[in-house]
Amino acid sequence: HLTPGNANAHYDLGKALLEQGRLAEAIEALRKATTLNAEDPGPFYLLARAYEKTHNRVEAAKALQQFAELKKRRGETGGMAYRPN
């Protein structure tokens, strides 16, 4: 079981589910991660990928826009996900 308030756990679960092709479950986990930590761009990127795989281009574009805004705000240019230690 996941710790309910742990954004990183939901991110990791969403990433694993996405890699397994379990898209609906991945989207659910990644949406939870974005809710728990709306300042981490990583889950938004993976959420965009999951939505693209389900052909939901509108939601994919929204998630990708949020990812880009967060990356710009942080001044980050390298790496896809921000993972604090």
Side-chain angles (χ1 to χ4, degrees), residues 4-78:
N6 187 330
N8 285 339
H10 287 280
Y11 172 89
D12 291 339
L13 176 61
K15 182 178 180 183
L17 291 166
L18 180 61
E19 290 171 356
Q20 295 173 10
R22 296 166 61 183
L23 301 177
E25 294 168 283
I27 288 170
E28 182 180 341
L30 293 165
R31 285 180 57 85
K32 182 70 174 176
T34 64
T35 300
L36 292 170
N37 183 0
E39 297 301 312
D40 183 353
F44 287 100
Y45 175 76
L46 290 183
L47 188 57
R49 286 188 48 212
Y51 278 129
E52 286 172 356
K53 289 180 180 283
T54 64
H55 306 287
N56 187 338
R57 299 191 195 295
V58 172
E59 291 300 321
K62 288 179 188 176
L64 201 56
Q65 179 64 35
Q66 186 65 29
F67 165 77
E69 288 176 13
L70 289 169
K71 292 289 279 187
K72 184 177 179 181
R73 192 178 315 154
R74 289 174 181 261
E76 295 177 10
T77 57

